[in-house]
Amino acid sequence: MGDSSSYELVDQNQDFMVIYKKPGIGFHREADEPGVFEQAKLGEQLVEAYPVHRLDKVTSGLLLIAKTAEANQELTEAFAQRRVEKYYLALSDKKPKKKQGLIKGDMVAARRGAWKLLPSSINPAVTQFFSCGAGQGLRLFLLKPHTGKTHQLRVALKSLGAPIVGDSLYGDALQAKKQDRCYLHAYSLQFDFKGKTYVYRELPREGQNFLSEEFRKAVNAYLCPDALPWPEL
């Protein structure tokens, strides 16, 4: 229990559980293959389970699942009201237009299931970021999304001219095939629940570039993401 080909258990209590989702597994069932949500519910023998938020198939990292309807309502509201601090790690092999700052704009559907960023800000996707060199021509991004739009971070980095390594939808599809994964990882979750603050951080466990010595050195700058000098929005 607590460990399968699709996830590993990080923590659980009577109200929720936190799992580490592995890359390449969908959140929901795809044909005959159960998604990570279903696998975690079965694997931990839960009578009830509620998806508080989701991760893309290509993304690894922390995923929060409620175990009661009451917990689901409170946690879902916390996400909706942007009271949950989320941080992601990503790698790009392209030089970004700017090394840190804010990416903001409306998102609209494009071709092939992709999305694109517009210059307008009627109902914008909002992402703050820092970045630093990570050796071997790679750049490490620490991303702080303030909204939860589909593909938001992948679109944000493409808009900087620095699509994520291994992202076949928003980067070079041929180059992406040569990579062992898409290098996007849900690294940190912080939220208040029933008067207590919970903080979870898990570094990525899969992918040659995420396991390199250069990455491990670079990510040291981001081990306490909430302590960084994030500007006021």
Side-chain angles (χ1 to χ4, degrees):
M1 290 238 264
D3 193 349
S4 78
S5 59
S6 66
Y7 78 95
E8 293 174 30
L9 182 65
V10 174
D11 188 27
Q12 69 172 324
N13 55 39
Q14 63 184 12
D15 295 301
F16 64 81
M17 70 176 178
V18 178
I19 64 171
Y20 177 105
K21 175 193 170 296
K22 299 181 183 181
I25 177 82
F27 186 85
H28 293 296
R29 172 178 286 271
E30 296 179 6
D32 294 333
E33 183 171 351
V36 69
F37 175 72
E38 186 179 340
Q39 288 191 37
K41 182 182 179 183
L42 290 171
E44 304 310 314
Q45 299 181 342
L46 300 184
V47 177
E48 293 181 87
Y50 302 86
V52 178
H53 64 130
R54 293 163 177 77
L55 293 177
D56 285 353
K57 183 174 183 176
V58 300
T59 309
S60 59
L62 292 167
L63 196 55
L64 177 63
I65 296 172
K67 295 166 73 170
T68 70
E70 293 79 14
N72 180 54
Q73 183 176 358
E74 184 173 337
L75 291 167
T76 300
E77 284 179 2
F79 270 86
Q81 295 169 8
R82 302 179 189 178
R83 290 185 281 110
V84 178
E85 284 195 356
K86 298 174 287 179
Y87 299 95
Y88 289 71
L89 298 170
L91 289 173
S92 180
D93 57 4
K94 300 287 189 294
K95 189 176 180 181
K97 294 173 185 173
K98 54 183 179 179
K99 293 181 179 179
Q100 67 181 64
L102 180 71
I103 307 161
K104 183 177 180 180
D106 293 319
M107 287 176 56
V108 295
R111 294 179 299 169
R112 299 185 301 123
W115 294 77
K116 64 180 179 179
L117 199 69
L118 299 179
S120 59
S121 290
I122 298 167
N123 181 24
V126 181
T127 306
Q128 290 178 293
F129 73 99
F130 288 104
S131 73
C132 64
Q136 298 179 331
L138 296 173
R139 192 155 196 90
L140 170 62
F141 288 82
L142 176 70
L143 302 155
K144 183 180 183 180
H146 292 270
T147 49
K149 311 283 187 184
T150 302
H151 294 185
Q152 175 174 325
L153 301 180
R154 297 163 69 186
V155 172
L157 285 189
K158 183 183 180 182
S159 76
L160 287 178
I164 296 169
V165 169
D167 190 340
S168 60
L169 189 57
Y170 294 99
D172 185 318
L174 289 176
Q175 285 297 111
K177 285 183 179 179
K178 299 175 184 177
Q179 297 294 332
D180 54 3
R181 62 163 297 178
C182 177
Y183 280 84
L184 178 61
H185 175 76
Y187 163 55
S188 177
L189 272 180
Q190 182 170 326
F191 56 91
D192 291 333
F193 179 76
K194 291 186 175 179
K196 182 180 176 182
T197 299
Y198 292 87
V199 181
Y200 298 98
R201 287 184 187 134
E202 293 286 338
L203 288 170
R205 303 170 190 171
E206 301 85 17
Q208 185 177 343
N209 292 319
F210 272 154
L211 299 177
S212 72
E213 189 63 31
E214 293 94 333
F215 171 81
R216 295 294 173 180
K217 288 178 182 175
V219 81
N220 279 333
Y222 301 146
L223 293 183
C224 296
D226 52 326
L228 292 170
W230 300 97
E232 296 255 342
L233 284 174

